[in-house]
Amino acid sequence: VDARPIPAIRWEGGPEGRLLLLDQTKLPSKLEVLEIRDVESLARAIRELAVRGAPAIGVAAAYGGVLALRESPPSPRERLEEALDLLAASRPTAVNLFHALSRLRRRAAALPGEDPATLAAALLDEARTLHREDEDLCASLGRHGATLLEDGMTVLTHCNTGRLATAGVGTALACILTAHREGKRLLVYADETRPLLQGARLTLFELAEAGIEARLLVDGAGPGLLLAGEIQAVFVGADRIAANGDTANKVGTLPLALAASRAGVPFYVVAPSTTLDPSLPDGRSIPIEERDGDEVTSLLGDRVPPGTRARNPAFDVTPADLITALVTEHGICRSPDRDGIKALLDSGR
Amino acid sequence: VDARPIPAIRWEGGPEGRLLLLDQTKLPSKLEVLEIRDVESLARAIRELAVRGAPAIGVAAAYGGVLALRESPPSPRERLEEALDLLAASRPTAVNLFHALSRLRRRAAALPGEDPATLAAALLDEARTLHREDEDLCASLGRHGATLLEDGMTVLTHCNTGRLATAGVGTALACILTAHREGKRLLVYADETRPLLQGARLTLFELAEAGIEARLLVDGAGPGLLLAGEIQAVFVGADRIAANGDTANKVGTLPLALAASRAGVPFYVVAPSTTLDPSLPDGRSIPIEERDGDEVTSLLGDRVPPGTRARNPAFDVTPADLITALVTEHGICRSPDRDGIKALLDSGR
């Protein structure tokens, strides 16, 4: 029996190998691994959330280049462009996806010739590099963020931002996991995160794996507990951060930020600097994915009247002034406004 | 075929009659009526939410007096006290329950003698009076609140505050239903209202009955749509309003108030003046019911890890300064603070 947890994303073999994704739509009741051998299956896995979480989407998509080039297509560079376009269309909000695809494009552009095997080997190397980098970024986020947690704290988190959302230990959840490993005793409230229940299904699963005390909350309950003084910090991830610090994250994040601000409780966004998108001036320009309303109604079955229609935005935008600090791999940015974001970007250059 | 909708609460017959409650735990897929013939069953129906909504709880409980006195108990006044205590212990937050029980106590105290039949007849009369009064209050709330709605508006509501939550046309939802009957075209976003889905199950059912266009939202989505400018007003009910205007309502109300305030969108609380509790100085003194965590996890089945524990507060408290106006049967109070609440109470005397 192998007691090590199954990683969310794994590449097995060389350029002719396969991408193995832990199917997150089946967790926590089933541990099923998807074997991905072509770009179309990869795009579908991203669209249908078998792999999800901004950093994990980027890392998984990075393996799309090598998948596109197998079976030695006659026009490898055309085939690659087509594949990257397909992947780019899979989900619109998380910017990490577009970062990863840009890196593949740049790596391919830097190579001379048309030999598919050479291109594939380089793109696999690029994906593996990005994969390792994400692991390192997560470890760094966890280390920095853990300093914000003290023994005995009760913290609230939303959606899933742990090892299942990244190629490493996570973003927001990495701070909690790292603090726990440092011996700090924490109680974690986890929002269930409707409609797809990433908090209930994935975060509770990861917290149980780590042996951290946790309670599930419905998404409407966090604000009341914040104003009642029962929570000392909020930790969330991010899918895209605009130049002024406005932050898109899983729908249901904004109400926590509003309540934390009103209650005077720190609200921390934890994300690698690759989540910053300086091309967008503010949150209004972040594209917000609207998903099918059936995602909302399907869990409810006959608990909704027949013919019910749902509106299903997958993200919301938290204005920068509600964010106490932004934790990146560079450290803790306590004024994540236009100047703060600019300084962060400069420090990364 | 009788096309009239089945009322939430109906008394059939005289003092030896029966209380008929539409079982709201089964809606919308099953229209089942519970026949209530004793106080214990009534307390259970309230506790298990077969009847729910602050005004409806009050009206249903009002029939508890006459139920307590059937079978001519040897000490009718003792039996009555015991029954009222049992009902008072059924749910702690909605103040309407305690108002109704006080009225039964006062009516009984005003009667001489120990004759159970005389007492029962008086208590049935009191319950019927309260029932009719609630109908009138609802009609009045709907009339006042409808003036706040304009043709073409998109409005957001939480939980269920319609005919199923009252003995009449409702509180917050009554405004929407009344405006619709006046010919105003509205789009209504209805929060699903986890854990028990009163929005998804009951509000969508009522909106469909009325032919009003509606969309279901997960509870986390409203704040983002408010800040994005997609919603022009929020209408919610109330379970208890403290002397300073702080308002307890179904969990998930507070985040809407915070977002509406930030977005500059009016946030209306609609409730009969019987929801005011001047004995409580502010929201911190309102008792907030904590319900069993199984209510949260049961819908999720194997979507949560085995052994998951949930925290399940049934209400939250919205600070008075976030409330644009309080709509009562006396009209629209645009400064629902300590002075405004006092003026409202005085106008009711």
Side-chain angles (χ1 to χ4, degrees), chain B residues 106-120:
Chain B
R106 281 203 301 273
R107 181 73 180 255
L111 272 183
E114 286 282 334
D115 176 39
T118 311
L119 273 172

Side-chain angles (χ1 to χ4, degrees), chain A residues 236-262:
Chain A
V236 299
D239 288 82
R240 198 184 298 217
I241 302 174
N244 73 337
D246 290 352
T247 294
N249 191 45
K250 179 54 56 195
V251 71
T253 299
L254 168 63
L256 304 181
L258 289 162
S261 170
R262 169 100 189 185

Side-chain angles (χ1 to χ4, degrees), chain B residues 157-228:
Chain B
T157 188
H158 190 70
C159 199
N160 171 262
T161 57
R163 71 173 189 82
L164 296 169
T166 63
V169 68
T171 58
L173 202 58
C175 308
I176 292 167
L177 296 164
T178 304
H180 172 76
R181 275 204 298 269
E182 292 171 357
K184 295 173 187 167
R185 284 156 302 180
L186 304 171
L187 171 61
V188 180
Y189 283 127
D191 275 351
E192 61 178 9
T193 318
R194 284 279 287 140
L196 292 172
L197 301 167
Q198 292 92 337
R201 296 191 300 108
L202 309 177
T203 298
L204 287 181
F205 175 82
E206 290 201 45
L207 290 168
E209 273 184 346
I212 298 176
E213 199 176 352
R215 297 284 181 282
L216 181 62
L217 290 184
V218 296
D219 296 318
L225 295 179
L226 279 160
L227 262 70

